[in-house]
Amino acid sequence: TRISYTGELGWEIHHSRKDTGALYKKLLEAGAEFEMADYGAFATNSLRLEKGFRGWGSEMNLDKNPFEAGLDNFVKCNKKTAFVGQEACKELVGKQQKVKLVPLTVRTHGLLDPEGNETVWFDNKVVGNTTSGAWSYALNTSVCMAYLPPGLADVGS
């Protein structure tokens, strides 16, 4: 299957478990001239966050609606064909949401990077929570996504 969690070109290969070792070895051999190498979940998460891609279970879940998650452009509530949740969707269009998903850079002073579910403080009050986070190699700082009140979700606030 041609698929990628980070938006880059990639492949997902479905195969018999017993063939995993041999397939892995062949892929590394075939990719050697391109310096193909292993990478892990933290690298994938970093790439995803740098692009602002949302993850199911983190930025998107049953507790948040698509408008809070910043997916307005992908939601069409006025489709001619009815769908489950259409009326609820129509009620949300154009309304101020209680929270908004925003990307943040985080000064960690070389300590642990955010991973998600950390509280976000402003003016000595908890105002939101992070959903996921990682070190950004492109930005050379920690990054995360967080749900914040709309007044704190604007650039520079």
Side-chain angles (χ1 to χ4, degrees), residues 71-123:
L71 298 171
D72 317 32
N73 292 333
F74 302 100
V75 178
K76 306 297 179 220
C77 297
N78 292 320
K79 289 183 177 181
K80 292 179 183 176
T81 304
F83 59 90
V84 174
Q86 187 170 27
E87 292 308 312
C89 183
K90 287 178 181 178
E91 290 177 20
L92 292 171
V93 174
K95 286 191 176 179
Q96 172 103 8
Q97 301 299 312
K98 294 179 183 176
V99 292
K100 182 178 178 186
L101 183 66
V102 295
L104 300 172
T105 57
V106 182
R107 282 182 241 125
T108 60
H109 308 289
L111 302 174
L112 297 175
D113 295 315
E115 292 181 358
N117 294 321
E118 294 94 358
T119 54
V120 177
W121 291 74
F122 178 77
D123 202 21

Side-chain angles (χ1 to χ4, degrees), residues 29-88:
E29 288 171 3
E33 68 178 292
F34 304 106
E35 298 181 18
M36 188 172 91
D38 294 322
Y39 70 95
F42 288 109
T44 301
N45 201 40
S46 177
L47 292 169
R48 174 183 75 79
L49 289 166
E50 288 172 353
K51 290 185 173 227
F53 284 16
R54 288 124 177 98
W56 179 254
S58 299
E59 288 74 39
M60 301 178 295
N61 58 51
L62 297 176
D63 296 326
K64 302 292 183 213
N65 70 57
F67 300 96
E68 292 171 324
L71 298 171
D72 317 32
N73 292 333
F74 302 100
V75 178
K76 306 297 179 220
C77 297
N78 292 320
K79 289 183 177 181
K80 292 179 183 176
T81 304
F83 59 90
V84 174
Q86 187 170 27
E87 292 308 312

Side-chain angles (χ1 to χ4, degrees), residues 2-21:
R2 185 98 191 238
I3 191 168
S4 173
Y5 189 57
T6 64
E8 300 297 331
L9 296 178
W11 294 90
E12 185 174 292
I13 302 171
H14 297 265
H15 61 284
S16 172
R17 181 188 286 181
K18 67 178 176 54
D19 298 329
T20 300

